[in-house]
Amino acid sequence: MSNVVLLYSLILLASVLVSAISQVMLKLSANQGHASAVREYANPLVIGAYALFVLSTLLTVYAYKEVPLSLGPVLEATSYLYVTAFGALIFKERVTKQKLLALALIVGGICVFALLG
């Protein structure tokens, strides 16, 4: 893997992380009480989350200038790791053996592709 592809792959991974953060922001907002339907959608968490979604999209498009199309979905699959970690750390969700096995399969697939692909 060339240095250019590595750099753009890191940009794509950053994009996936930004997207996961925006999802957390939306869930935090959904868990709050709101005075009205308008406030439910027009509040700083929701607006910030959608701004991060736009940033994530722009980063993804930029990263695909150099990231091979066969590698992109593999890197985007790391979102499962982020979402699981955020769920456990922020929302105190339980990480079961089944979730850990699923994550191991995902990470294993990513490693197989990265090493053999």
Side-chain angles (χ1 to χ4, degrees):
M1 182 180 302
S2 74
N3 287 339
V4 171
V5 173
L6 180 60
L7 173 65
Y8 281 82
S9 295
L10 291 173
I11 292 170
L12 184 56
L13 286 172
S15 168
V16 174
L17 178 62
V18 168
S19 177
I21 290 169
S22 65
Q23 291 176 41
V24 168
M25 291 171 65
L26 286 175
K27 186 168 182 176
L28 286 171
S29 177
N31 287 342
Q32 295 176 349
H34 301 284
S36 67
V38 172
R39 292 269 185 204
E40 188 173 346
Y41 298 101
N43 68 64
L45 275 175
V46 171
I47 294 168
Y50 282 115
L52 286 179
F53 273 131
V54 169
L55 175 63
S56 174
T57 301
L58 294 174
L59 286 172
T60 299
V61 170
Y62 182 73
Y64 271 116
K65 285 174 45 177
E66 294 293 333
V67 172
L69 290 176
S70 59
L71 179 59
V74 174
L75 296 175
E76 290 179 8
T78 60
S79 67
Y80 296 110
L81 298 172
Y82 301 139
V83 169
T84 301
F86 289 150
L89 296 171
I90 297 170
F91 300 109
K92 307 299 182 211
E93 294 175 355
R94 213 174 72 145
V95 180
T96 64
K97 289 180 184 179
Q98 287 178 325
K99 286 182 183 179
L100 289 176
L101 176 61
L103 286 173
L105 288 172
I106 291 168
V107 171
I110 291 169
C111 291
V112 166
F113 182 86
L115 297 174
L116 304 175

